[in-house]
Amino acid sequence: MPLLARSVLTPLHIDVRRGAVADLAAILVDGRISSGGDVAVVVGPGQGAQIAELIRPSLRSADVFTVSGGTLDAADDLGGKLRARSYDAVVGIGGGKTIDVAKYAATRRGLPMVSVATSLANDGIASPVASLITDGIKGSYGVHIPIGVIVDLDFVESGPDRHNRAGIGDVISNISALADWELSRRVRGEPVDGLAASLARAGAEAVLNHPGDMSDDAFVTVLAEALISSGLAMAVCGTSRPSSGGCHEIMHAVDSLFPGTASHGELAGLGALFCTWLRGDLRRFGEMSACLARHGLPRLPAEVGLTDDQFVEAVQFAPRTRPDRYTILEHLALSPTETRERLADYAGAIRDQLG
């Protein structure tokens, strides 16, 4: 992935709580965002339309656009519509696909963007990356971070439980990504941004050690804040390094070879756990495995619909998804046979935990 636009600026507004959407209209007419509410509101096929209706009476000059699919074509089409009049800002309301489309279109038009998340599936809520599909393959595009981030726990609670739990896997994967970044520093002299690493690590540790679950507002708030911190970590250092290592290489490989297998966060968590096993860090492996199990997230290839042979194929293909990146996968350079042996040992360790 090309370097992202480096920024040490944080969003003007971050709000994670129940009822946060009630203040959205007032936030949008904040003079730093829009002087009169001339904003483009982008919604997906889910709860976004409901939120748009809630704020419409207060923002009569706003236009509402519906997008779907999370594709580059959808983002380009939205960009064309944004040229129809002069907007002060773009508001993306919905899940990850909707927000990524809005981020990309807003960046191409040079407009600030406010992210209103209705799910916690991944760290795209506040990241400088838009994951968009083109020709059936998901690609990553550098974008500006949102100027405001709102997570209303009422709407998150109403969304699909599996989507929200997936965000746990994405946050936990930071632990493996940071270990890969440190490995690259030791082996190749790659610089590590301490502030970015601290932001990514703090959120991951908070989720890893929190005793609650998705029925607990305190835990969901910690998860939302961790996902936002992960996005800000990427913005601080100008790359996705703090949150993307061998774990995401495996995720992207699965997406390319076996599309539709599982969600971003589910695959990131699985990839991170396997990479941690390869790294030989048994303490971290135990902590991460217990966390994923506690939240009902996949730890074995079969749990995301992959055979062992398919998973081995994905691990072999993974380094090609990020040729510029050095992780435990590139460091070990395992053969297919060696990967299959490591996978068998990994599965055995998980079965021992279950027993």
Side-chain angles (χ1 to χ4, degrees), residues 27 55 100 103-104 138 142 163 165 226-227 291 302 334 340 355:
I27 294 165
I55 66 173
D100 280 350
K103 282 195 296 186
Y104 182 92
K138 185 177 290 186
H163 287 183
R165 285 188 290 113
L227 291 168
C291 179
L334 299 175
R340 191 170 289 103

Side-chain angles (χ1 to χ4, degrees), residues 96-325:
K97 292 179 181 179
T98 301
I99 288 175
D100 280 350
V101 167
K103 282 195 296 186
Y104 182 92
T107 297
R108 295 302 177 266
R109 291 292 299 149
L111 296 171
M113 184 266 184
V114 175
S115 172
V116 183
T118 60
S119 75
L120 302 177
N122 57 62
D123 58 17
I125 296 171
S127 78
V129 179
S131 296
L132 301 169
I133 300 170
T134 179
D135 296 327
I137 299 174
K138 185 177 290 186
S140 299
Y141 301 86
V143 295
H144 296 304
I145 63 170
I147 196 172
V149 183
I150 297 172
V151 181
D152 191 320
L153 302 187
D154 289 321
F155 286 92
V156 169
E157 183 179 67
S158 300
D161 180 63
R162 181 181 175 185
H163 287 183
N164 291 324
R165 285 188 290 113
I168 299 168
D170 205 22
V171 167
I172 295 304
S173 75
N174 287 2
I175 293 170
S176 179
L178 291 169
D180 280 334
W181 204 6
E182 180 59 35
L183 173 65
S184 186
R185 169 159 63 180
R186 294 198 310 268
V187 176
R188 301 205 309 185
E190 180 181 351
V192 172
D193 187 304
L195 175 58
S198 295
L199 284 169
R201 182 177 291 108
E205 295 284 2
V207 170
L208 186 71
N209 295 303
H210 199 290
D213 57 27
M214 294 304 298
S215 66
D216 175 6
D217 277 9
F219 175 78
V220 178
T221 300
V222 166
L223 173 59
E225 291 174 345
L227 291 168
I228 293 169
S229 294
S230 184
L232 295 182
M234 290 184 261
V236 163
C237 67
T239 85
S240 60
R241 254 312 199 175
S243 306
S244 174
C247 49
H248 279 58
E249 289 183 341
I250 291 174
M251 180 204 75
H252 289 301
V254 173
D255 276 343
S256 296
L257 298 173
F258 313 107
T261 299
S263 70
H264 175 114
E266 290 171 325
L267 292 174
L270 171 60
L273 189 61
F274 184 66
C275 285
T276 302
W277 175 260
L278 293 180
R279 208 174 283 113
D281 189 341
L282 298 184
R283 180 183 67 84
R284 277 299 197 191
F285 173 80
E287 292 173 345
M288 293 167 66
S289 180
C291 179
L292 294 176
R294 184 167 69 251
H295 294 289
L297 289 166
R299 294 179 294 166
L300 294 168
E303 294 172 348
V304 294
L306 294 175
T307 66
D308 285 356
D309 285 344
Q310 288 174 324
F311 188 76
V312 169
E313 183 181 353
V315 172
Q316 291 294 302
F317 183 80
R320 282 181 270 176
T321 68
R322 292 291 183 271
D324 60 328
R325 196 145 287 185

